[in-house]
């Protein structure tokens, strides 16, 4: 099943069911007016939403929307919780190696995670608006899951049953603001603006055998200004699966329905196309040439992020964002 949220001039938008080809959608306000409502009542509404999805794909629905021209918001425009992990420890290892810093052994057994801004997420085609290019604008291509209510102290295996929806995201980072924030030993804040989401989220069954044991085994493509930056397989080199990430987040407190958990930057070790952010590309350049040559994003740059199935069809739709200067209003 594929779901999305389209603009209806409210902050939470309007939930729609989308067909497999991402061409048509149908409103389902009679079942669930918003994504958060659906997640809050998943056990009650899932069957009805799936029925609509099946009828839509069988062309048994007449009152449809052209999804290609719809104003798409983030599938969940604001959430109660957004926690981003760093599941690809090879990525962390590379970044630290580039600055001659050792990787603590605990990083291989205890996930890194930070809590980000969930009061607003932005849509797949919304601009990345940043005030200053000197802040080091970078994209981060990731996989993310959305849960129902997750009890505290859950095991990683049990946590997998609470994953209701899966998507891809662009977790934008302002690299040049990060060192000062981390030096305070209190985590990210200013260096992490709003996160953008692919047009649709899908239920795990939609991914068939490519979703295994909390990992999504497909390449994630990142294209900057028409040039492929990387296409690492999201299921390879993922040290911590999503069950482990959710269990980590829920160690001491429950997670409410609609909690979004990110994988961190997808990366494959030793692959020429294994990177999903500029920072990693620059680290590889430092190790090879002694200095970086690839600049961070500038105003006017365009980043596209997409994942395709084995037939080459887009699963979640494309994140397609222009970097723009933020103007105070």
């Amino acid at each position: 099943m594929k779901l999305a949220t389209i603009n209806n001039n409210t902050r939470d938008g309007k939930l729609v069911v989308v067909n497999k080809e991402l061409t048509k959608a149908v409103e389902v306000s009679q079942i669930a007016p918003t994504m958060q409502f659906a997640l809050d009542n998943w056990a009650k509404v899932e069957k009805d939403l799936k029925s609509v999805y099946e009828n839509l794909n069988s062309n048994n629905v007449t009152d449809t929307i052209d999804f290609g021209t719809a104003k798409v918001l983030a599938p969940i425009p604001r959430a109660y919780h957004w926690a981003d992990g760093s599941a690809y420890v090879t990525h962390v290892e590379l970044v630290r190696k580039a600055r001659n810093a050792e990787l603590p052994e605990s990083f291989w057994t205890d996930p890194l995670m930070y809590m980000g801004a969930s009061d607003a997420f932005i849509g797949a085609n919304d601009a990345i608006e940043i005030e200053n290019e000197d802040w080091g604008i970078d994209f981060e291509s990731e996989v993310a899951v959305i849960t129902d209510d997750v009890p505290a102290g859950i095991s990683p295996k049990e946590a997998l049953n609470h994953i209701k929806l899966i998507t891809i995201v662009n977790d934008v980072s302002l690299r040049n603001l990060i060192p000062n924030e981390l030096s305070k030993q209190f985590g990210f804040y200013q260096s992490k603006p709003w996160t953008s989401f692919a047009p649709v989220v899908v239920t795990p069954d939609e991914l068939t055998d490519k979703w295994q044991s909390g990992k999504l085994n497909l390449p994630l493509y990142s294209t900057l200004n028409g040039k492929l930056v990387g296409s690492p397989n999201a299921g390879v080199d993922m040290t911590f699966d999503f069950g482990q990430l959710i269990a980590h987040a829920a160690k001491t407190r429950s997670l409410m329905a609609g909690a979004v958990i990110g994988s961190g930057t997808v990366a494959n070790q030793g692959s020429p196309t294994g990177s999903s952010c500029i920072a990693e590309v620059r680290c590889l350049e430092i190790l090879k040439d002694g200095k970086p040559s690839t600049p961070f994003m500038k105003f006017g740059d365009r980043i596209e992020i997409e994942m395709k199935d084995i037939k080459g069809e887009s699963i979640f739709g494309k994140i397609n964002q222009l970097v723009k200067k933020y103007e105070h209003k």
Side-chain angles (χ1 to χ4, degrees), residues 16-274:
V16 295
V17 173
V18 186
N19 68 345
K20 284 183 178 290
E21 294 78 18
L22 307 181
T23 56
K24 297 188 295 183
V26 60
E27 297 180 30
V28 285
S29 57
Q30 74 281 7
I31 302 172
T34 66
M35 186 71 74
Q36 185 61 54
F37 182 97
L39 290 160
D40 284 336
N41 300 277
W42 193 257
K44 297 179 180 178
V45 305
E46 181 185 15
K47 183 178 179 180
D48 290 339
L49 290 174
K50 281 190 173 182
S51 177
V52 172
Y53 182 63
E54 291 167 0
N55 286 327
L56 181 61
N57 286 307
S58 300
N59 295 315
N60 290 329
V61 178
T62 55
D63 190 15
T64 61
I65 299 165
D66 181 354
F67 190 67
T69 61
K71 170 58 178 173
V72 180
L73 306 180
I76 184 164
R78 51 179 175 172
Y80 293 115
H81 195 90
W82 157 233
D84 198 20
S86 191
Y88 300 85
V89 179
T90 54
H91 165 75
V92 183
E93 185 179 41
L94 175 64
V95 171
R96 294 178 75 92
K97 185 177 181 181
R99 64 172 193 262
N100 294 314
E102 289 189 11
L103 184 77
E105 277 299 316
S106 64
F107 281 27
W108 294 101
T109 57
D110 188 24
L112 296 174
M113 187 170 283
Y114 81 92
M115 187 184 295
S118 63
D119 52 339
F121 294 133
I122 58 177
N125 302 308
D126 292 337
I128 301 170
E129 296 186 89
I130 305 296
E131 188 173 345
N132 193 329
E133 285 182 342
D134 293 338
W135 289 346
I137 309 165
D138 198 0
F139 68 91
E140 289 191 54
S141 305
E142 306 185 7
V143 178
V145 301
I146 307 177
T147 73
D148 60 4
D149 290 320
V150 180
I154 195 167
S155 72
K157 183 178 180 180
E158 292 172 331
L160 292 174
N161 297 324
H162 291 274
I163 295 173
K164 300 307 171 188
L165 300 167
I166 303 166
T167 191
I168 56 174
V169 303
N170 180 13
D171 178 44
V172 179
S173 290
L174 303 177
R175 298 295 185 183
N176 295 337
L177 298 185
I178 289 177
N180 182 57
E181 288 206 293
L182 293 186
S183 69
K184 299 176 182 178
Q185 298 184 353
F186 215 61
F188 300 121
Y189 194 88
Q190 293 176 334
S191 51
K192 288 291 186 178
W194 284 333
T195 300
S196 52
F197 282 62
V200 306
V201 289
V202 309
T203 48
D205 62 291
E206 194 72 25
L207 301 167
T208 62
D209 63 341
K210 297 304 178 182
W211 175 254
Q212 292 283 343
S213 302
K215 297 181 181 182
L216 181 48
N217 296 283
L218 285 168
L220 182 57
Y221 295 87
S222 302
T223 304
L224 181 60
N225 297 326
K227 181 180 179 181
L228 181 68
V229 176
S231 56
N233 188 305
V236 175
D237 293 325
M238 189 180 191
T239 308
F240 305 104
D241 65 52
F242 276 107
Q244 292 171 296
L245 293 177
I246 294 168
H248 179 83
K251 180 176 181 177
T252 62
R253 59 180 175 180
S254 301
L255 304 180
M256 299 297 101
V260 186
I261 307 293
S263 67
T265 309
V266 177
N268 288 168
Q269 186 179 32
S271 169
T273 58

